[in-house]
Amino acid sequence: MVTDKTKEEIKEEINEEPVAEETAGDSFDKNEKEVKEEKEEIKDEGKEEPAEDENTKYLRLMADFQNYKKRVEKEKKDLYAYANENIMNELLNVLDNFERALEHDGGDGFKEGIEMIFKQLGDVLTKSGLAEIPALGEEFNPQQHNAVMTEDTDEYESGMVSGVMQKGYTLNGKVIRPSMVKVAN
């Protein structure tokens, strides 16, 4: 058995050595045995590479599964965080109506009751992750503000929000309704 030879050397020897059909019986048998052993060594060496490929496939499969688990966990987290988005949008209309009702004076008792209900509703929404987008006097941000009109004013610099027509809100950091604003020229 030859172990110091490389695959190429063995292949060259096999191709270069003429195999005599009829030589001395022992030498022919010996050459034939050596050729078979060398072929088996080549086959055995080739079998090691697929094992490495199997390990690589296994590691890739493990990595893909870990990535899948992370992606599913993130999707689940986002689903829980934004599951209330639709109901929040509906409640925003109620919140707006409360604000409008508070602007009109209907007596001390009426106004106090409405203010208490408004505060209670605001606390519940804030606890659920709702936050108002600051707008008045802020620089116009198209990701948070919806410019409905522009106006000339000396009170605010150009590009600043000069009036809020409808408040905007975020839910857990995501804009669910941009502020409807006037922008100063």
Side-chain angles (χ1 to χ4, degrees):
M1 181 185 273
V2 180
T3 57
D4 294 338
K5 296 181 182 179
T6 64
K7 288 180 187 179
E8 286 115 24
E9 291 174 342
I10 293 170
K11 286 179 183 177
E12 287 176 5
E13 282 182 18
I14 291 171
N15 290 335
E16 290 177 357
E17 289 182 6
V19 179
E21 290 181 13
E22 301 220 334
T23 57
D26 290 341
S27 64
F28 179 75
D29 291 337
K30 187 176 181 183
N31 284 340
E32 188 177 53
K33 287 179 185 177
E34 286 178 1
V35 169
K36 285 182 181 178
E37 288 175 0
E38 289 172 353
K39 286 182 180 179
E40 287 177 16
E41 285 179 24
I42 292 171
K43 287 180 184 177
D44 291 341
E45 288 177 11
K47 288 180 182 176
E48 292 174 15
E49 292 175 0
E52 291 176 15
D53 288 340
E54 294 283 328
N55 290 337
T56 304
K57 287 179 185 177
Y58 175 72
L59 291 174
R60 285 186 182 164
L61 184 63
M62 270 183 41
D64 287 344
F65 183 67
Q66 291 295 329
N67 291 337
Y68 169 76
K69 282 175 46 178
K70 289 177 186 176
R71 186 173 57 248
V72 166
E73 187 65 31
K74 182 185 178 303
E75 288 173 359
K76 192 185 305 182
K77 183 180 172 186
D78 288 346
L79 181 67
Y80 289 138
Y82 303 115
N84 297 328
E85 185 173 345
N86 289 335
I87 194 157
M88 288 294 183
N89 278 322
E90 295 295 322
L91 287 174
L92 289 177
N93 293 329
V94 175
L95 192 64
D96 290 339
N97 289 335
F98 266 118
E99 288 178 346
R100 289 185 195 107
L102 288 173
E103 289 175 5
H104 301 292
D105 193 18
D108 289 333
F110 174 75
K111 187 169 182 161
E112 264 183 53
I114 294 293
E115 284 176 349
M116 287 172 45
I117 295 170
F118 179 72
K119 184 181 178 323
Q120 184 182 18
L121 178 62
D123 291 344
V124 169
L125 294 176
T126 301
K127 194 162 119 181
S128 297
L130 188 73
E132 184 181 331
I133 296 173
L136 189 62
E138 299 283 325
E139 185 175 339
F140 176 73
N141 180 353
Q143 294 175 345
Q144 295 180 337
H145 304 127
N146 182 13
V148 178
M149 58 190 303
T150 59
E151 66 179 353
D152 294 325
T153 180
D154 295 332
E155 226 176 296
Y156 297 99
E157 295 178 21
S158 178
M160 303 295 278
V161 175
S162 61
V164 178
M165 301 172 80
Q166 185 180 39
K167 292 180 180 180
Y169 293 93
T170 61
L171 179 62
N172 297 322
K174 179 184 173 188
V175 176
I176 61 171
R177 183 174 83 181
S179 300
M180 211 181 309
V181 297
K182 296 179 196 176
V183 181
N185 277 339

